[in-house]
Amino acid sequence: MKTPFPFSAIVGQEEMKLAMILTAVDPSIGGVLAFGDRGTGKSTAVRALAALLPPITKVAGCPVNAETRADVPDWAGLETFEEITAPTPVIDLPLGAGEDRVTGALDIEKALTQGIRAFEPGLLARANRGYLYIDEVNLLEDHIVDLLLDVAQSGENVVEREGLSIRHAARFVLVGSGNPEEGELRPQLLDRFGLSVEVESPRDIDTRVEVIRRRDAYDRDHAAFMLRWQAEDAAIRERIVTGRGGLAGLEPSDRVLHDVAGLCIALGSDGLRGELTLLKAARAYAAWRDDTAITRTHVRAVAPMALRHRLRRDPLDDSGSGTRVQRLMDEVLA
Amino acid sequence: MPDLAAPFARACLALDLMRIDPSLGGLRIVARAGPVRDRLAQRLVSADQRPIRLHPSMDDEALFGGLDVAATLAAGAPVMRAGRLAAQGLFLLPMAERIPPALAARLGAALEGGPERMIVAFDESAEDEDGPPAALSDRLGFCVDLSDVGLADAVAPPPGDLAAARLRLRHILTPPDLPQSLAELCAAFGVAGARAPLFALRAARASAAMNDRQITDADIETAAALTLAHRATRSPEPSAPEEEAPEEPRPELESEPRT
């Protein structure tokens, strides 16, 4: 199979790229939701991210990508525990996948052929320590989305079915993409995604020309094109690794906490999920830029993607959610 | 050069071009079942390839394969059955307007990346119905409407040497100003997204390869007619004659009580 299109070669779409990078710096931010026009590189960006992410160390053959021998679940039945370096998993969740395929279920093959009750891990196990990608997330059945968001938040998959009782680690970043023409995601599910970005077709000719040129070069002169962008991808990868190291040292000042809380109050968001995500995103952004403190600039930069899907619907205000967050910022952070 | 004004010739050309470059994705044919469509379907069957039939209500097991329970029980060892999408090449999807969005998304994903697959979708929608979901039709390079073609007009041009054209394709250069003009064309016709201009570019290269030459204006015209025309959302000239009826005094609603 062809190597995916390089992340650094994606033209424009800065907000989407930044959101994905921030989750790579700090996976606890929560998922990313990318909604927008068709053919704007949403899936391309996710596939590119898979190739970009720093590799992980895992026990060879472990169904949940455990890092150490102690983390390997008993039901995996491993006999050797060799540690290997593997790419960060980015797992596709196909639409229409049933609950059994997502959470894992009774291994029918073994039940039929050997008469034993064994657990066959599902997609959540494979996505542990990585990413789970759902294209057209708005077409996924609600109960599956709900389940995914629950597991993503708790970091643990609990399977109680067919006489099985299994729990295993399932920490992953959920990335969903979709086209609003085919229906919105319910607000109850929306605000549980950490970040949300709106993706639009580029409006100006020059950007569009560059998109065509790069894609054409990728199709025709694949090896040379990949070589050309390899160094840029490596630079991003290094910055992600540096950023991860810098996270711990970034303590928010009182002033930043006030800004964050003020924004969320003005927004009228329920609960504290908005505040926490905004703070984490601002911290990850500061770490990504290798800055030594979190400031108002960082909060400003990430506020639209952290808050736009938490706005209440206002029937009297049909301006875009990004604009509304911008307006709020101008009022609160004046 | 085949006559582009004739829809049937256009459909045949589109089929040839996507056989030269399978990354063109496929072709949507708007037509009811009938002799015209049958004649086109005959052209899908080539010496080395028969299209694999899909249908609008296929489930995942039919598409992606699964455990063959009967064979597993008989053999005492797991026997898997391959799904239709395990194959590559040309797929035929009749009643494409009936496919549910989830299936459209899956077929769309099957077209992108991985082995070469093409889908010919027969769109049998009535005039006031929607076509196939955009998740699929956006990823098909071509669309031809055959609904008004009579059997007498359904004359297929002789097929060229596609295998030779395929080999030539990698030697076709992209003219440096072509991306610019395609982007401008798309902007003028209100075609959104990055797929359309890329389809046009690939179609132009395939057309040049078929004619054994580098890309000419004729190839670009052919490509634009086949890949962009059906995606246009507006007419380029702002001064185009408006199709508004001259202002007529409208009968006032209140003054006409219905009995």
Side-chain angles (χ1 to χ4, degrees), chain A residues 120-176:
Chain A
E120 187 184 19
L123 297 166
L124 292 178
R126 285 170 55 202
N128 188 27
R129 302 180 63 208
Y131 283 71
L132 189 69
Y133 174 54
I134 315 162
D135 194 9
E136 317 271 1
V137 62
N138 43 344
L139 300 180
L140 198 66
E141 280 175 59
D142 277 351
H143 73 275
I144 302 274
V145 183
D146 181 69
L147 185 149
L148 289 172
L149 289 162
D150 263 351
V151 176
Q153 209 152 20
S154 66
E156 191 176 44
N157 178 29
V158 182
V159 186
E160 297 282 357
R161 55 184 293 163
E162 291 140 6
L164 295 163
S165 179
I166 300 265
R167 48 182 66 214
H168 66 77
R171 277 180 295 275
F172 54 87
V173 177
L174 192 65
V175 179

Side-chain angles (χ1 to χ4, degrees), chain A:
Chain A
M1 204 171 136
K2 234 172 163 180
T3 356
F5 194 83
F7 192 80
S8 46
I10 296 171
V11 185
Q13 313 298 7
E14 297 304 333
E15 199 187 20
M16 175 172 65
K17 287 194 279 187
L18 180 63
M20 288 184 184
I21 287 173
L22 293 185
T23 62
V25 173
D26 181 3
S28 74
I29 288 176
V32 178
L33 189 64
F35 254 53
D37 301 340
R38 293 189 177 287
T40 42
K42 298 185 293 282
S43 322
T44 310
V46 178
R47 311 243 176 278
L49 184 73
L52 176 83
L53 291 166
I56 58 168
T57 319
K58 65 167 236 181
V59 175
C62 176
V64 298
N65 308 318
E67 190 173 4
T68 60
R69 182 175 181 158
D71 295 340
V72 178
D74 299 337
W75 50 262
L78 290 192
E79 275 153 23
T80 54
F81 297 92
E82 191 199 346
E83 286 188 8
I84 54 164
T85 308
T88 303
V90 177
I91 305 296
D92 262 308
L93 188 124
L95 288 177
E99 199 183 317
D100 51 344
R101 217 168 136 208
V102 175
T103 61
L106 183 73
D107 188 332
I108 305 220
E109 273 181 38
K110 281 197 183 142
L112 281 176
T113 58
Q114 300 163 35
I116 53 171
R117 186 156 61 197
F119 175 62
E120 187 184 19
L123 297 166
L124 292 178
R126 285 170 55 202
N128 188 27
R129 302 180 63 208
Y131 283 71
L132 189 69
Y133 174 54
I134 315 162
D135 194 9
E136 317 271 1
V137 62
N138 43 344
L139 300 180
L140 198 66
E141 280 175 59
D142 277 351
H143 73 275
I144 302 274
V145 183
D146 181 69
L147 185 149
L148 289 172
L149 289 162
D150 263 351
V151 176
Q153 209 152 20
S154 66
E156 191 176 44
N157 178 29
V158 182
V159 186
E160 297 282 357
R161 55 184 293 163
E162 291 140 6
L164 295 163
S165 179
I166 300 265
R167 48 182 66 214
H168 66 77
R171 277 180 295 275
F172 54 87
V173 177
L174 192 65
V175 179
S177 68
N179 187 304
E181 282 166 25
E182 266 142 27
E184 303 277 342
L185 212 57
R186 285 168 52 213
Q188 292 88 326
L189 299 174
L190 260 185
D191 86 319
R192 285 158 68 187
F193 277 89
L195 306 176
S196 155
V197 289
E198 280 168 11
V199 197
E200 282 188 341
S201 296
R203 297 263 171 262
D204 64 310
I205 299 279
D206 291 343
T207 316
R208 288 178 146 216
V209 173
E210 198 51 37
V211 172
I212 305 173
R213 269 193 222 288
R214 288 195 192 168
R215 182 70 206 201
D216 184 45
Y218 168 81
D219 285 341
R220 284 189 313 119
D221 204 356
H222 188 69
F225 186 78
M226 295 310 288
L227 201 64
R228 152 86 180 76
W229 291 98
Q230 208 172 35
E232 319 244 344
D233 263 16
I236 298 183
R237 189 178 307 126
E238 248 166 60
R239 271 181 79 182
I240 291 176
V241 176
T242 319
R244 282 180 184 172
L247 274 181
L250 288 167
E251 282 300 319
S253 65
D254 279 355
R255 201 178 145 204
V256 165
L257 289 175
H258 267 105
D259 285 351
V260 167
L263 268 178
C264 290
I265 289 169
L267 196 75
S269 71
D270 298 326
L272 293 171
R273 208 175 274 137
E275 276 99 321
L276 288 173
T277 312
L278 178 55
L279 183 60
K280 278 182 182 170
R283 177 188 288 140
Y285 183 58
W288 159 248
R289 299 197 2 165
D290 207 7
D291 292 337
T292 48
I294 311 174
T295 65
R296 194 171 256 193
T297 329
H298 301 123
V299 176
R300 260 181 190 283
V302 296
M305 62 172 93
L307 299 179
R308 72 155 59 88
H309 52 302
R310 301 174 207 277
L311 293 169
R312 296 246 174 100
R313 267 194 203 140
D314 184 350
L316 297 177
D317 188 353
D318 56 357
S319 54
S321 49
T323 328
R324 282 173 63 194
V325 175
Q326 200 66 44
R327 215 159 50 206
L328 265 176
M329 278 201 291
D330 293 342
E331 283 167 25
V332 178
L333 307 183

